[in-house]
Amino acid sequence: MEYMLMFCENEAELARSDNPAEAPAYWGAWNAYIGALVGSGIVRGGNGLQPPRSATTVRVIGGQRQIQDGPFADTREHLGGSCTLRQRRWHRGAARHAAPAGRTGGLMS
């Protein structure tokens, strides 16, 4: 069976990635986490996404397409990337796939 992990972060957590004092710990934790997943042999693919500030929103309202620069999501968390895993049963490995060390917020589902 294949499962997809989706990595969502709130603004405060995402800001750590650009903060010179916090970025090494932030990226170190993510690299260790993804490295462990890949090392386990269950990863089938994955991609990180650009931060929300680089987003473009396309909406269709009244049959007209509207394009706006910037994120306009109705949420406080942003999808940062995903990873597809293959394993027999999710509940047996769910604890092993807990979020990387050092995270202070966000969601992984």
XYZ file of all heavy atoms in Angstrom:
823
model
N 0.837 -1.162 0.000
C 0.000 0.000 0.000
C 0.887 1.232 0.000
O 1.940 1.248 0.616
C -0.892 -0.034 1.245
C -1.664 1.197 1.461
S -3.461 1.250 1.387
C -4.107 -0.325 1.209
N 0.463 2.273 -0.676
C 1.208 3.532 -0.682
C 0.474 4.575 0.150
O -0.755 4.635 0.139
C 1.414 4.040 -2.105
C 2.408 3.201 -2.861
C 2.845 3.830 -4.166
O 2.286 4.861 -4.573
O 3.768 3.268 -4.780
N 1.252 5.375 0.863
C 0.732 6.451 1.696
C 1.459 7.733 1.318
O 2.611 7.697 0.913
C 0.998 6.169 3.178
C 0.325 4.924 3.671
C 0.974 3.695 3.621
C -0.959 4.969 4.189
C 0.358 2.540 4.069
C -1.588 3.822 4.642
C -0.922 2.616 4.582
O -1.530 1.477 5.021
N 0.778 8.867 1.487
C 1.420 10.146 1.233
C 1.483 10.938 2.526
O 0.467 11.132 3.189
C 0.667 10.968 0.197
C 1.295 12.338 -0.027
S 0.454 13.328 -1.238
C 1.161 12.634 -2.729
N 2.663 11.346 2.888
C 2.843 12.271 4.001
C 2.789 13.678 3.429
O 3.451 13.974 2.434
C 4.204 12.070 4.663
C 4.475 10.744 5.343
C 5.907 10.724 5.890
C 3.496 10.517 6.465
N 1.996 14.535 4.028
C 1.937 15.931 3.607
C 2.466 16.772 4.757
O 2.023 16.631 5.890
C 0.511 16.328 3.253
C -0.016 15.559 2.070
S -1.602 16.116 1.441
C -2.605 16.261 2.884
N 3.418 17.635 4.469
C 4.077 18.441 5.476
C 3.539 19.870 5.427
O 3.767 20.575 4.446
C 5.586 18.454 5.253
C 6.175 17.071 5.136
C 6.679 16.631 3.927
C 6.199 16.221 6.222
C 7.226 15.366 3.806
C 6.744 14.942 6.109
C 7.259 14.515 4.900
N 2.825 20.266 6.455
C 2.263 21.617 6.529
C 2.939 22.371 7.665
O 3.223 21.805 8.715
C 0.761 21.552 6.787
S -0.152 20.683 5.498
N 3.185 23.649 7.427
C 3.825 24.477 8.446
C 3.067 25.779 8.602
O 2.518 26.307 7.637
C 5.265 24.793 8.044
C 6.145 23.584 8.000
C 7.581 23.927 7.711
O 7.831 24.629 6.713
O 8.422 23.500 8.500
N 3.096 26.293 9.831
C 2.504 27.603 10.050
C 3.568 28.670 9.752
O 4.717 28.347 9.500
C 1.940 27.718 11.478
C 2.978 27.452 12.535
O 4.139 27.835 12.399
N 2.575 26.789 13.606
N 3.159 29.912 9.790
C 4.073 31.011 9.437
C 5.300 31.062 10.340
O 6.413 31.303 9.880
C 3.336 32.353 9.480
C 2.300 32.526 8.390
C 2.918 32.660 7.005
O 4.052 33.164 6.884
O 2.253 32.261 6.046
N 5.116 30.836 11.631
C 6.237 30.909 12.571
C 7.265 29.828 12.278
O 8.474 30.078 12.299
C 5.727 30.787 14.011
N 6.799 28.627 12.010
C 7.718 27.520 11.711
C 8.436 27.781 10.383
O 9.639 27.578 10.267
C 6.940 26.206 11.662
C 7.799 24.990 11.562
C 8.601 24.689 12.825
O 8.291 25.176 13.906
O 9.590 23.947 12.691
N 7.711 28.232 9.399
C 8.303 28.518 8.095
C 9.339 29.632 8.183
O 10.373 29.576 7.519
C 7.208 28.897 7.093
C 7.646 29.123 5.664
C 8.263 27.857 5.081
C 6.470 29.565 4.815
N 9.104 30.615 9.040
C 10.048 31.728 9.193
C 11.410 31.253 9.704
O 12.430 31.869 9.423
C 9.464 32.781 10.134
N 11.430 30.146 10.434
C 12.696 29.613 10.942
C 13.638 29.234 9.793
O 14.855 29.283 9.937
C 12.443 28.380 11.810
C 11.720 28.688 13.098
C 11.499 27.447 13.943
N 12.778 26.867 14.287
C 13.021 25.556 14.330
N 12.070 24.690 14.064
N 14.207 25.102 14.660
N 13.078 28.850 8.649
C 13.912 28.408 7.531
C 14.751 29.534 6.939
O 15.781 29.276 6.316
C 13.051 27.782 6.430
O 12.238 28.755 5.797
N 14.333 30.788 7.128
C 15.050 31.947 6.595
C 15.832 32.713 7.653
O 16.594 33.620 7.327
C 14.074 32.923 5.929
C 13.526 32.371 4.629
O 14.229 31.587 3.966
O 12.381 32.721 4.277
N 15.638 32.387 8.920
C 16.297 33.091 10.006
C 17.730 32.570 10.132
O 17.935 31.389 10.391
C 15.520 32.855 11.301
C 16.129 33.546 12.489
O 17.346 33.683 12.601
N 15.273 33.972 13.402
N 18.744 33.430 9.948
C 20.129 32.962 9.991
C 20.502 32.206 11.271
O 21.307 31.288 11.238
C 20.955 34.244 9.857
C 20.050 35.213 9.187
C 18.659 34.860 9.650
N 19.899 32.585 12.393
C 20.216 31.916 13.651
C 19.535 30.549 13.775
O 20.040 29.654 14.438
C 19.800 32.799 14.827
N 18.373 30.385 13.150
C 17.597 29.153 13.304
C 17.634 28.233 12.093
O 17.304 27.048 12.212
C 16.148 29.492 13.624
C 15.973 30.225 14.937
C 14.514 30.449 15.260
O 13.801 29.453 15.436
O 14.106 31.618 15.314
N 18.014 28.755 10.942
C 17.983 27.960 9.709
C 18.827 26.689 9.776
O 18.369 25.630 9.327
C 18.383 28.812 8.507
N 20.046 26.719 10.326
C 20.825 25.470 10.367
C 20.125 24.352 11.144
O 20.113 23.203 10.700
C 22.133 25.882 11.048
C 22.274 27.338 10.736
C 20.860 27.863 10.779
N 19.510 24.675 12.276
C 18.789 23.659 13.049
C 17.542 23.203 12.311
O 17.215 22.007 12.278
C 18.423 24.197 14.426
N 16.833 24.152 11.703
C 15.612 23.838 10.943
C 15.930 22.870 9.806
O 15.333 21.800 9.703
C 15.010 25.146 10.407
C 13.838 24.954 9.486
C 12.548 24.913 9.984
C 14.010 24.819 8.113
C 11.458 24.750 9.147
C 12.940 24.652 7.263
C 11.662 24.616 7.788
O 10.583 24.439 6.943
N 16.878 23.252 8.955
C 17.202 22.417 7.801
C 17.924 21.138 8.212
O 17.754 20.086 7.589
C 18.019 23.200 6.773
C 17.178 24.238 6.102
C 17.304 25.589 6.212
C 16.052 24.020 5.255
N 16.328 26.221 5.486
C 15.544 25.281 4.880
C 15.420 22.878 4.778
C 14.438 25.433 4.060
C 14.311 23.034 3.953
C 13.838 24.290 3.602
N 18.708 21.191 9.278
C 19.365 19.989 9.773
C 18.363 18.938 10.214
O 18.511 17.744 9.925
N 17.310 19.385 10.906
C 16.264 18.459 11.357
C 15.525 17.853 10.158
O 15.273 16.647 10.112
C 15.290 19.178 12.285
N 15.183 18.691 9.185
C 14.485 18.181 8.006
C 15.364 17.209 7.218
O 14.907 16.151 6.783
C 14.028 19.324 7.089
C 12.672 19.840 7.451
C 12.380 21.066 7.971
C 11.427 19.153 7.336
N 11.038 21.173 8.186
C 10.424 20.015 7.799
C 11.064 17.896 6.888
C 9.072 19.668 7.835
C 9.717 17.539 6.916
C 8.739 18.416 7.381
N 16.628 17.559 7.034
C 17.529 16.670 6.284
C 17.715 15.334 6.986
O 17.736 14.280 6.341
C 18.877 17.351 6.047
C 18.783 18.470 5.041
O 17.898 18.507 4.202
N 19.692 19.428 5.135
N 17.838 15.352 8.307
C 17.973 14.102 9.062
C 16.699 13.267 8.948
O 16.756 12.042 8.765
C 18.286 14.404 10.523
N 15.564 13.908 9.050
C 14.270 13.216 8.978
C 14.059 12.568 7.606
O 13.770 11.376 7.503
C 13.156 14.215 9.281
C 11.767 13.665 9.093
C 11.249 12.731 9.981
C 10.967 14.086 8.039
C 9.971 12.236 9.817
C 9.694 13.596 7.869
C 9.201 12.673 8.762
O 7.942 12.177 8.594
N 14.234 13.351 6.548
C 14.049 12.816 5.196
C 15.107 11.756 4.905
O 14.819 10.716 4.303
C 14.081 13.950 4.143
C 12.914 14.922 4.371
C 14.051 13.387 2.726
C 11.522 14.319 4.270
N 16.335 11.975 5.360
C 17.390 10.977 5.181
C 17.043 9.655 5.838
O 17.292 8.582 5.284
N 16.449 9.707 7.042
C 16.043 8.476 7.731
C 14.924 7.769 6.980
O 14.922 6.538 6.865
C 15.613 8.792 9.161
N 13.964 8.548 6.445
C 12.885 7.931 5.665
C 13.449 7.246 4.417
O 13.105 6.104 4.121
C 11.854 8.976 5.243
C 10.871 9.454 6.297
C 9.973 10.541 5.716
C 10.037 8.318 6.842
N 14.310 7.949 3.698
C 14.910 7.381 2.489
C 15.748 6.152 2.848
O 15.678 5.117 2.188
C 15.758 8.434 1.741
C 16.570 7.803 0.632
C 14.859 9.534 1.184
N 16.516 6.242 3.932
C 17.350 5.128 4.368
C 16.557 3.888 4.749
O 17.065 2.773 4.667
N 15.294 4.075 5.150
C 14.464 2.933 5.531
C 14.004 2.126 4.317
O 13.519 1.014 4.463
C 13.246 3.405 6.332
O 12.312 4.058 5.485
N 14.137 2.720 3.124
C 13.759 2.010 1.902
C 12.291 2.066 1.548
O 11.862 1.414 0.593
N 11.497 2.863 2.261
C 10.064 2.894 1.973
C 9.631 4.088 1.137
O 8.492 4.158 0.695
C 9.229 2.844 3.267
C 9.510 4.065 4.146
C 9.490 1.549 4.028
C 8.600 4.175 5.356
N 10.538 5.032 0.902
C 10.185 6.240 0.142
C 10.107 5.915 -1.345
O 11.018 5.328 -1.917
C 11.203 7.373 0.398
C 10.924 8.566 -0.503
C 11.175 7.789 1.850
N 9.016 6.312 -1.960
C 8.822 6.119 -3.402
C 8.973 7.420 -4.176
O 9.107 7.417 -5.383
C 7.443 5.517 -3.679
C 7.267 4.138 -3.091
C 8.219 3.173 -3.792
N 8.201 1.868 -3.160
C 9.236 1.301 -2.579
N 10.384 1.929 -2.509
N 9.143 0.120 -2.032
N 8.941 8.542 -3.494
C 9.093 9.835 -4.155
C 8.704 10.948 -3.210
O 8.195 10.692 -2.120
N 8.957 12.162 -3.601
C 8.579 13.298 -2.787
C 9.097 14.588 -3.379
O 10.011 14.583 -4.207
N 8.503 15.678 -2.949
C 8.893 16.994 -3.438
C 8.630 18.044 -2.378
O 7.598 18.013 -1.711
C 8.096 17.384 -4.691
C 8.475 16.559 -5.880
O 9.590 16.667 -6.367
N 7.576 15.711 -6.337
N 9.541 18.982 -2.269
C 9.314 20.164 -1.457
C 8.690 21.231 -2.338
O 8.840 21.196 -3.564
N 7.993 22.147 -1.738
C 7.357 23.228 -2.486
C 7.989 24.565 -2.107
O 8.584 24.705 -1.037
C 5.855 23.261 -2.184
C 5.095 21.993 -2.543
C 3.645 22.105 -2.080
C 5.164 21.718 -4.026
N 7.847 25.533 -2.968
C 8.335 26.879 -2.690
C 7.477 27.485 -1.583
O 6.327 27.107 -1.395
C 8.258 27.749 -3.942
C 9.185 27.310 -5.049
C 10.640 27.433 -4.635
O 11.058 28.425 -4.053
N 11.414 26.400 -4.922
N 8.011 28.458 -0.833
C 7.227 29.068 0.245
C 6.025 29.840 -0.305
O 6.008 30.238 -1.478
C 8.220 30.003 0.925
C 9.322 30.196 -0.036
C 9.351 29.008 -0.940
N 5.020 30.061 0.534
C 3.794 30.734 0.092
C 4.014 32.097 -0.534
O 3.259 32.506 -1.412
C 2.974 30.873 1.386
C 3.487 29.803 2.271
C 4.941 29.633 1.925
N 5.063 32.806 -0.122
C 5.290 34.155 -0.681
C 5.550 34.128 -2.184
O 5.454 35.141 -2.857
C 6.419 34.858 0.059
C 7.774 34.202 -0.108
C 8.846 34.924 0.706
N 10.062 34.142 0.735
C 10.386 33.257 1.667
N 9.567 33.047 2.669
N 11.508 32.589 1.603
N 5.882 32.953 -2.747
C 6.130 32.853 -4.184
C 4.913 32.343 -4.948
O 4.992 32.104 -6.149
C 7.329 31.933 -4.444
O 7.019 30.606 -4.066
N 3.790 32.207 -4.267
C 2.595 31.599 -4.870
C 1.863 32.534 -5.828
O 1.975 33.760 -5.744
C 1.629 31.166 -3.771
N 1.114 31.930 -6.721
C 0.160 32.622 -7.572
C -1.175 31.909 -7.405
O -1.234 30.682 -7.418
C 0.587 32.574 -9.050
O 1.831 33.249 -9.185
C -0.441 33.213 -9.957
N -2.230 32.669 -7.220
C -3.558 32.096 -7.029
C -4.377 32.318 -8.291
O -4.449 33.438 -8.794
C -4.264 32.759 -5.825
O -3.460 32.542 -4.657
C -5.651 32.179 -5.610
N -4.972 31.242 -8.804
C -5.848 31.320 -9.969
C -7.240 30.906 -9.526
O -7.432 29.822 -8.978
C -5.360 30.401 -11.113
C -6.298 30.494 -12.307
C -3.930 30.741 -11.512
N -8.226 31.783 -9.759
C -9.621 31.495 -9.407
C -10.505 31.767 -10.611
O -10.196 32.619 -11.436
C -10.091 32.393 -8.260
C -9.359 32.191 -6.984
C -9.826 33.195 -5.948
N -8.912 33.125 -4.823
C -9.292 33.033 -3.578
N -10.549 33.027 -3.279
N -8.410 32.965 -2.619
N -11.603 31.050 -10.660
C -12.614 31.318 -11.678
C -13.857 31.797 -10.939
O -14.428 31.065 -10.126
C -12.923 30.067 -12.521
C -14.033 30.373 -13.513
C -11.666 29.588 -13.233
N -14.239 33.038 -11.206
C -15.404 33.648 -10.561
C -16.306 34.187 -11.656
O -15.877 34.998 -12.472
C -14.980 34.771 -9.594
C -14.074 34.197 -8.488
C -16.211 35.455 -8.989
C -13.488 35.232 -7.565
N -17.533 33.708 -11.686
C -18.485 34.160 -12.707
C -18.011 33.855 -14.117
O -18.258 34.619 -15.032
N -17.311 32.750 -14.279
C -16.816 32.351 -15.593
C -15.561 33.072 -16.039
O -15.058 32.831 -17.128
N -15.045 33.982 -15.208
C -13.852 34.748 -15.543
C -12.671 34.265 -14.701
O -12.789 34.084 -13.491
C -14.072 36.243 -15.285
C -15.162 36.856 -16.126
C -14.796 36.860 -17.602
O -13.692 37.229 -17.971
N -15.727 36.443 -18.434
N -11.545 34.086 -15.352
C -10.337 33.669 -14.655
C -9.650 34.894 -14.057
O -9.461 35.904 -14.728
C -9.398 32.961 -15.624
C -8.166 32.416 -14.946
C -7.336 31.603 -15.857
N -7.022 32.383 -17.058
C -6.334 31.913 -18.085
N -5.909 30.679 -18.083
N -6.077 32.680 -19.121
N -9.306 34.775 -12.757
C -8.584 35.841 -12.071
C -7.263 35.280 -11.578
O -7.222 34.224 -10.956
C -9.393 36.355 -10.880
C -10.697 36.996 -11.281
C -11.470 37.485 -10.074
O -11.064 37.300 -8.935
N -12.593 38.129 -10.331
N -6.181 35.994 -11.846
C -4.851 35.577 -11.429
C -4.298 36.642 -10.496
O -4.280 37.826 -10.837
C -3.915 35.384 -12.641
C -4.491 34.327 -13.571
C -2.509 35.021 -12.196
C -3.763 34.174 -14.879
N -3.863 36.206 -9.307
C -3.314 37.122 -8.321
C -1.986 36.583 -7.827
O -1.844 35.380 -7.610
C -4.257 37.255 -7.124
C -5.599 37.854 -7.483
C -6.522 37.853 -6.283
O -6.871 36.802 -5.776
N -6.895 39.037 -5.833
N -1.032 37.476 -7.633
C 0.234 37.076 -7.022
C 0.018 36.922 -5.528
O -0.678 37.720 -4.912
C 1.322 38.118 -7.276
C 1.785 38.106 -8.715
O 1.679 37.040 -9.345
O 2.250 39.146 -9.198
N 0.616 35.904 -4.968
C 0.569 35.693 -3.523
C -0.419 34.624 -3.120
O -1.315 34.260 -3.868
N -0.216 34.094 -1.921
C -1.106 33.060 -1.401
C -2.355 33.689 -0.805
O -2.292 34.717 -0.141
C -0.265 32.401 -0.312
C 0.610 33.506 0.183
C 0.894 34.366 -1.028
N -3.484 33.110 -1.064
C -4.742 33.575 -0.503
C -5.538 32.381 -0.011
O -6.689 32.205 -0.348
C -5.528 34.388 -1.531
C -4.819 35.644 -1.921
C -4.048 35.677 -3.069
C -4.871 36.765 -1.119
C -3.357 36.833 -3.421
C -4.183 37.918 -1.461
C -3.426 37.949 -2.610
N -4.880 31.563 0.796
C -5.529 30.368 1.327
C -6.348 30.728 2.558
O -6.039 31.680 3.266
C -4.488 29.323 1.693
N -7.392 29.962 2.806
C -8.227 30.162 3.981
C -7.719 29.307 5.138
O -8.490 28.670 5.833
C -9.677 29.802 3.657
C -10.273 30.728 2.615
O -9.867 31.902 2.588
O -11.130 30.282 1.848
N -6.420 29.288 5.327
C -5.801 28.493 6.381
C -4.568 29.214 6.896
O -4.021 30.068 6.216
C -5.422 27.096 5.857
O -4.831 26.348 6.918
C -4.467 27.167 4.686
N -4.132 28.849 8.079
C -2.924 29.436 8.645
C -1.713 28.553 8.402
O -0.599 28.918 8.725
C -3.107 29.680 10.129
C -4.147 30.733 10.408
C -4.346 30.881 11.900
N -5.506 31.699 12.146
C -5.449 32.940 12.591
N -4.300 33.485 12.844
N -6.542 33.618 12.795
N -1.940 27.372 7.862
C -0.837 26.461 7.582
C -0.698 26.310 6.072
O -1.672 26.453 5.336
C -1.089 25.095 8.229
C -1.103 25.195 9.739
C -1.410 23.881 10.398
O -2.218 23.116 9.866
O -0.831 23.637 11.452
N 0.518 26.053 5.639
C 0.806 25.961 4.223
C 1.447 24.624 3.916
O 2.281 24.137 4.674
C 1.758 27.092 3.803
C 1.252 28.441 4.209
N 0.287 29.099 3.496
C 1.552 29.227 5.256
C 0.016 30.246 4.093
N 0.781 30.341 5.167
N 1.076 24.046 2.793
C 1.677 22.795 2.365
C 3.101 23.069 1.921
O 3.344 23.857 1.020
C 0.868 22.177 1.220
C 1.372 20.857 0.676
C 1.342 19.775 1.752
C 0.526 20.436 -0.522
N 4.048 22.423 2.589
C 5.456 22.639 2.280
C 6.048 21.565 1.395
O 7.095 21.740 0.792
N 5.365 20.425 1.298
C 5.862 19.335 0.468
C 5.159 18.043 0.804
O 4.278 17.995 1.661
N 5.547 16.986 0.111
C 4.945 15.683 0.351
C 5.968 14.595 0.080
O 6.988 14.825 -0.562
C 3.724 15.488 -0.541
O 4.121 15.444 -1.902
N 5.661 13.417 0.569
C 6.535 12.264 0.408
C 5.640 11.030 0.292
O 4.741 10.843 1.107
C 7.444 12.162 1.628
S 8.686 10.891 1.522
N 5.833 10.221 -0.728
C 5.049 9.005 -0.901
C 5.836 7.826 -0.354
O 7.002 7.644 -0.685
C 4.719 8.773 -2.394
O 4.053 9.926 -2.901
C 3.834 7.557 -2.572
N 5.170 7.046 0.492
C 5.795 5.891 1.138
C 5.073 4.617 0.742
O 3.882 4.631 0.486
C 5.714 6.018 2.669
C 6.154 7.321 3.300
C 5.908 7.272 4.794
C 7.614 7.578 3.002
N 5.808 3.522 0.743
C 5.188 2.219 0.524
C 5.497 1.353 1.734
O 6.650 1.144 2.087
C 5.721 1.535 -0.721
C 5.114 0.141 -0.942
C 5.704 -0.545 -2.152
N 5.306 0.121 -3.356
C 4.262 -0.254 -4.115
N 3.551 -1.273 -3.774
N 3.979 0.408 -5.206
N 4.444 0.879 2.386
C 4.600 -0.080 3.468
C 3.290 -0.834 3.648
O 2.252 -0.390 3.193
C 5.089 0.569 4.753
C 4.124 1.441 5.500
C 4.802 2.035 6.707
O 5.688 2.850 6.560
N 4.392 1.635 7.887
N 3.382 -1.971 4.302
C 2.211 -2.838 4.411
C 1.094 -2.234 5.235
O -0.050 -2.236 4.824
C 2.612 -4.182 5.003
C 3.404 -5.010 4.047
C 3.679 -6.351 4.630
N 4.482 -7.109 3.686
C 4.953 -8.293 3.926
N 4.705 -8.880 5.079
N 5.668 -8.906 3.026
N 1.426 -1.775 6.424
C 0.395 -1.243 7.313
C 0.873 0.055 7.923
O 1.928 0.108 8.532
C 0.075 -2.248 8.420
C -0.515 -3.498 7.867
C -1.040 -4.371 8.958
N -1.606 -5.559 8.340
C -1.549 -6.745 8.867
N -0.970 -6.935 10.034
N -2.084 -7.765 8.251
N 0.061 1.078 7.782
C 0.446 2.391 8.269
C 0.607 2.410 9.778
O 1.568 2.959 10.297
C -0.579 3.437 7.846
C -0.294 4.771 8.431
C -0.974 5.403 9.405
C 0.803 5.629 8.099
N -0.393 6.612 9.694
C 0.705 6.766 8.900
C 1.858 5.544 7.190
C 1.609 7.809 8.828
C 2.757 6.589 7.121
C 2.634 7.697 7.927
N -0.317 1.835 10.519
C -0.280 1.971 11.974
C 0.966 1.357 12.590
O 1.396 1.763 13.650
C -1.542 1.384 12.608
C -1.666 -0.101 12.484
N -2.171 -0.696 11.355
C -1.330 -1.095 13.329
C -2.150 -2.013 11.515
N -1.649 -2.282 12.700
N 1.593 0.402 11.949
C 2.817 -0.192 12.495
C 4.005 0.763 12.408
O 4.911 0.695 13.210
C 3.159 -1.487 11.772
C 2.237 -2.597 12.137
C 2.746 -3.895 11.609
N 1.848 -4.956 12.028
C 1.888 -6.170 11.548
N 2.783 -6.501 10.628
N 1.050 -7.089 11.972
N 4.012 1.623 11.431
C 5.152 2.510 11.248
C 4.859 3.970 11.517
O 5.722 4.812 11.370
N 3.640 4.288 11.935
C 3.248 5.694 12.079
C 4.146 6.445 13.053
O 4.553 7.571 12.780
C 1.793 5.797 12.511
N 4.489 5.848 14.185
C 5.342 6.533 15.164
C 6.719 6.813 14.582
O 7.334 7.838 14.866
C 5.462 5.697 16.425
N 7.193 5.927 13.724
C 8.506 6.091 13.110
C 8.521 7.296 12.174
O 9.558 7.874 11.899
C 8.839 4.803 12.347
C 10.149 4.834 11.633
C 10.462 3.497 11.026
N 9.377 3.055 10.171
C 9.259 1.822 9.709
N 10.128 0.913 10.025
N 8.269 1.486 8.919
N 7.367 7.684 11.664
C 7.282 8.780 10.702
C 6.858 10.088 11.346
O 6.416 10.994 10.663
C 6.319 8.416 9.574
C 6.610 7.094 8.966
N 7.855 6.744 8.490
C 5.840 6.012 8.804
C 7.814 5.507 8.037
N 6.613 5.039 8.230
N 6.974 10.172 12.664
C 6.622 11.409 13.362
C 7.461 12.553 12.807
O 8.505 12.341 12.206
C 6.853 11.251 14.856
N 7.000 13.762 13.017
C 7.662 14.950 12.471
C 9.112 15.044 12.927
O 9.487 14.506 13.959
C 6.894 16.191 12.899
N 9.946 15.741 12.154
C 11.355 15.884 12.507
C 11.560 16.581 13.843
O 10.735 17.382 14.265
C 11.939 16.712 11.373
C 10.825 17.192 10.560
C 9.604 16.437 10.929
N 12.659 16.280 14.474
C 13.009 16.905 15.756
C 13.114 18.412 15.591
O 13.508 18.903 14.533
C 14.333 16.345 16.246
N 12.725 19.134 16.600
C 12.876 20.582 16.573
C 11.698 21.343 16.020
O 11.673 22.558 16.074
N 10.681 20.664 15.503
C 9.515 21.387 15.004
C 8.749 21.974 16.159
O 8.565 21.344 17.176
C 8.594 20.447 14.212
C 9.273 20.024 12.947
C 8.486 19.905 11.716
N 7.446 20.835 11.448
C 6.391 20.516 10.715
N 6.250 19.310 10.220
N 5.476 21.403 10.452
N 8.292 23.191 16.007
C 7.542 23.856 17.065
C 6.087 24.052 16.696
O 5.302 24.535 17.499
C 8.160 25.229 17.385
O 8.118 26.030 16.204
C 9.584 25.091 17.873
N 5.702 23.695 15.489
C 4.319 23.849 15.055
C 4.144 23.218 13.690
O 5.055 22.668 13.122
N 2.921 23.308 13.190
C 2.628 22.748 11.883
C 1.875 21.437 11.985
O 1.457 21.023 13.058
N 1.723 20.797 10.859
C 0.910 19.594 10.765
C 1.566 18.630 9.784
O 2.108 19.047 8.773
C -0.476 19.984 10.254
C -1.394 18.880 9.753
C -1.938 18.084 10.935
C -2.536 19.481 8.971
N 1.504 17.374 10.107
C 1.928 16.346 9.172
C 0.809 15.340 9.134
O 0.375 14.837 10.165
C 3.219 15.674 9.635
C 3.791 14.778 8.571
S 5.334 14.055 9.082
C 4.730 12.692 10.043
N 0.268 15.081 7.963
C -0.818 14.111 7.874
C -0.547 13.126 6.761
O 0.331 13.321 5.964
C -2.151 14.818 7.649
O -2.148 15.577 6.476
